[in-house]
Amino acid sequence: KRVRADSSCKLPCDAIVGILYDFDQKKALDYIHMNPFTLNLSLTFLTIGITRCPVDQLEKILPGILATFGAHSSIASLTSASRKSQSYQVAHLVLRTIEGIVVGKRNMTKPSSSVLSSSSSSSSVAVNNSNSKGSSDDVAVVDNIPPMQVARDFCSQNETISAAVYDLILDVLLYTNTNSNLPPPGLSQWGKERLTSGNSPTEKSWVIEHSRSNRLRDLKCALLDFIAPCRRMDLFHISRKGTKLDKKINHGLCTSRVVAMLAVASGDDNQVVAERSSSYLKAHLDSSKNRTSLKNEDDGDSWKEEDENKIDLTST
């Protein structure tokens, strides 16, 4: 209770996630090997502590949160009330972690007044220092693989995690504030139950916290920023298509999932959410058209060369 009441108290969330997830093996621990009391206590402390974590720590624990979510998203997780509650808790940890990363990144890109008033020489030093440190994906690197890269690999190569994350984000995008006991169109009763069962660090419940339209809008926009192929996060790794590293990625399935989520959000009641999703969807479609046109040009050149070779062979 003291930890929950003191918002300035930081919790070692990376160490807590290490109880549920093996950072070296990049694998969540099986439920049967977990002590129920340890699992419940870990999830409780993570629920309290994740909203207090800095961005670099959130990026470090994201793969563990996603892997744990995948391990608790099977049908077996719904066989008892306790396991269902644990599954719901992990789902909300995923949402809090993603939103925390996106919001934290936005705040990092906003220049403070002291930065704006600094001299040009100090600005150049800051730029050089930031370049020497590398990109933000290099934070908390494990085995030379940035944690954000591990998270993308989970969502593009591990079908269990990919399907679970897709289902969760789609539920949020379909969710609307309503006084009806029925779920919004497209959202299942179970999906609504999972969302509305969440806790809140600022209100009595997740429902009350997100009953304000701007709060629900901010969450949806953060999720859209995280999954959009045209954005740096690109959770399902669609922008990797055509590279040498995309052999393990099911691009057709990943692309269809992201397009479905963007299409659903483009019809949102909130204009900000709808416009942002529509712009991301348009950017993705334009990018796909450009790649297709370039591929057709390359194929045309190759066919032209083959035809010329055939003519030469015939003439000889």
Side-chain angles (χ1 to χ4, degrees), residues 55-128:
V55 178
D56 57 345
Q57 191 175 15
L58 290 176
E59 288 186 333
K60 180 181 179 181
I61 67 176
L62 178 61
I65 297 294
L66 292 176
T68 303
F69 180 46
H72 289 267
S73 61
S74 64
I75 298 297
S77 300
L78 306 177
T79 55
S80 66
S82 61
R83 294 200 64 179
K84 181 189 292 187
S85 175
Q86 292 161 355
S87 175
Y88 289 175
Q89 279 185 277
V90 180
H92 281 273
L93 292 178
V94 173
L95 298 177
R96 296 286 183 187
T97 305
I98 291 177
E99 186 177 20
I101 293 175
V102 174
V103 174
K105 292 292 186 182
R106 289 176 188 162
N107 295 335
M108 289 172 62
T109 57
K110 293 179 181 179
S112 62
S113 57
S114 59
V115 173
L116 294 175
S117 61
S118 62
S119 62
S120 58
S121 59
S122 61
S123 297
S124 61
V125 172
V127 172
N128 291 333

Side-chain angles (χ1 to χ4, degrees), residues 276-293:
R276 178 169 301 196
S277 180
S278 297
S279 65
Y280 289 162
L281 184 59
K282 183 178 184 300
H284 168 66
L285 296 177
D286 291 343
S287 177
S288 300
K289 290 179 181 178
N290 292 335
R291 285 198 299 266
T292 302
S293 61

Side-chain angles (χ1 to χ4, degrees), residues 9 23 36-37 51 70 77 85 121 145 149 185 187 190 203 214 239 248 251 256 258 263 265 282 299 308:
C9 179
F23 282 96
F37 177 78
T51 56
S77 300
S85 175
S121 59
I145 303 178
Q149 178 67 41
L187 181 62
W190 174 79
E203 302 288 349
N214 61 331
S239 61
K248 296 182 179 180
H251 281 290
S256 63
V258 172
K282 183 178 184 300
D299 292 343
E308 291 177 351

Side-chain angles (χ1 to χ4, degrees), residues 9 32-34 47 55 63 74 85 89 111 116 130 132 152 155 160 163 165 193 278:
C9 179
I32 58 176
H33 297 147
M34 288 291 300
T47 301
V55 178
S74 64
S85 175
Q89 279 185 277
L116 294 175
S130 63
S132 63
R152 294 187 190 101
C155 290
T160 300
V165 173
E193 177 186 338
S278 297

